[in-house]
Amino acid sequence: MTTNAHAGHHTTAHAAHQHHAGHTAVATDHGDAHAGHDAHAAHGDAHAGHGAGTPGGLLITQDGYTLDLDTTVAEPGGIDFRFRILGPDGKPVTEFDPIHDRELHLIVARRELTGFWHVHPVRETDGTWAIRLDLPEAGAYRVFTDIAPRALGRTITLGADLAIAGQYAPQPVPAVGRLAEVDGYAVTVGGELRAEGDLLTLTVRKDGAPVTDLQPYLAAFGHLVILRAGDLAYVHVHPNGEPGDGITPAGPEITFHTAVPGPGTYRLFLDFKHGDVVRTAAFTLATEVAAEPPAAHHH
């Protein structure tokens, strides 16, 4: 498991997070799960719809599977976070198909989308998943699990609330912008978020120079998680192309086909690996709204 490795990169990420105010970066082990994955057939698909018409991550129970947290309230700081995925029979599930090298991807986000962690817990034999999480600030958090229970045969994302106790000063969602800076890297995003789907291209530079030697991270050159402000509807996308396919360059551009669940403001978290460290670049984008007819502008 990369949990420990993770821990390290967590810290960096956190430092970065302080550094860039809203920017969060908690690097994460993003893995892979994605919504309707269909055997990964289409790596670049947006797994927005999860097959059921409801965006991913909004439900604690879906298709007979339930996310069962040991605790929904914790103190700030390091917590031993434990949970189970219960199957249709009410018992913990222990058989999962891997998605991007992992049986489960755990994503934790602050409700205001100012903090983000992508980690990989360890599954104990009884079906309990465990990981040490460091959530330093009081607030409202959302926990997401990307899983593909073997008996179900496809990927689903379950979501549940987690509260970290203490004085809590809600923050606004960071302002819309197409540039994110993390640890000396500048990442820009081109393209628009649309419900019908469109291409987003993220370009990675370091000290002004294009990065052309990105490293594969969980079988891809980048992982993109998109969360909608207000309800945290969840989309996890993998890029077009794969490392080693002979045609996909290792940067500076990483292209994703993304479809979002509808209008709104979205926070995008890109995990990428370079120099053996996984970093997270975060952006806020709003969906393109059709222009109103001129008549609507009369005074």
Side-chain angles (χ1 to χ4, degrees):
M1 290 305 305
T2 53
T3 328
N4 299 338
H6 231 76
H9 98 68
H10 244 51
T11 335
T12 352
H14 207 74
H17 170 44
Q18 309 300 23
H19 188 61
H20 310 302
H23 243 74
T24 221
V26 192
T28 38
D29 219 300
H30 253 98
D32 332 10
H34 304 34
H37 254 83
D38 299 347
H40 285 203
H43 227 80
D45 290 5
H47 307 314
H50 287 226
T54 302
L58 298 181
L59 302 175
I60 202 166
T61 293
Q62 183 180 335
D63 299 333
Y65 293 84
T66 299
L67 174 54
D68 177 35
L69 304 186
D70 259 21
T71 179
T72 55
V73 180
E75 294 294 320
I79 57 175
D80 289 313
F81 188 67
R82 300 170 67 82
F83 62 94
R84 282 157 299 284
I85 303 296
L86 304 180
D89 58 0
K91 295 179 181 158
V93 178
T94 56
E95 299 277 305
F96 296 88
D97 288 324
I99 18 193
H100 281 248
D101 298 345
R102 294 287 185 277
E103 286 189 340
L104 182 147
H105 294 269
L106 178 70
I107 281 88
V108 181
R110 293 193 64 157
R111 276 236 163 233
E112 303 97 323
L113 304 178
T114 53
F116 175 83
W117 294 258
H118 178 171
V119 294
H120 299 110
V122 176
R123 180 170 56 79
E124 297 168 358
T125 48
D126 68 354
T128 297
W129 294 87
I131 190 163
R132 183 84 176 162
L133 278 182
D134 183 20
L135 302 177
E137 297 168 271
Y141 290 75
R142 186 77 174 165
V143 172
F144 301 93
T145 55
D146 272 336
I147 48 170
R150 190 157 294 161
L152 183 63
R154 61 193 176 79
T155 306
I156 55 173
T157 303
L158 301 177
D161 287 339
L162 172 65
I164 300 298
Q167 285 292 320
Y168 168 40
Q171 303 292 312
V173 172
V176 169
R178 291 182 172 270
L179 167 68
E181 294 179 327
V182 52
D183 293 351
Y185 291 82
V187 184
T188 53
V189 56
E192 300 299 339
L193 289 180
R194 301 178 201 277
E196 61 274 21
D198 206 347
L199 287 181
L200 285 186
T201 299
L202 291 106
T203 303
V204 184
R205 293 184 178 85
K206 184 168 196 303
D207 303 327
V211 172
T212 56
D213 56 348
L214 289 171
Q215 294 165 288
Y217 173 54
L218 298 171
F221 285 128
H223 291 273
L224 184 63
V225 168
I226 303 174
L227 297 171
R228 180 166 59 188
D231 64 358
L232 272 56
Y234 176 102
V235 179
H236 187 162
V237 223
H238 292 122
N240 296 339
E242 308 189 4
D245 62 8
I247 52 170
T248 305
E253 296 185 346
I254 315 169
T255 302
F256 297 85
H257 185 270
T258 53
V260 293
T265 297
Y266 290 84
R267 191 86 170 131
L268 288 70
F269 299 96
L270 171 74
D271 286 329
F272 65 97
K273 184 175 182 179
H274 188 247
D276 297 327
V277 177
V278 177
R279 295 177 174 86
T280 303
F283 308 84
T284 303
L285 294 181
T287 48
E288 281 292 274
V289 180
E292 294 181 59
H297 297 303
H298 65 278
H299 294 294

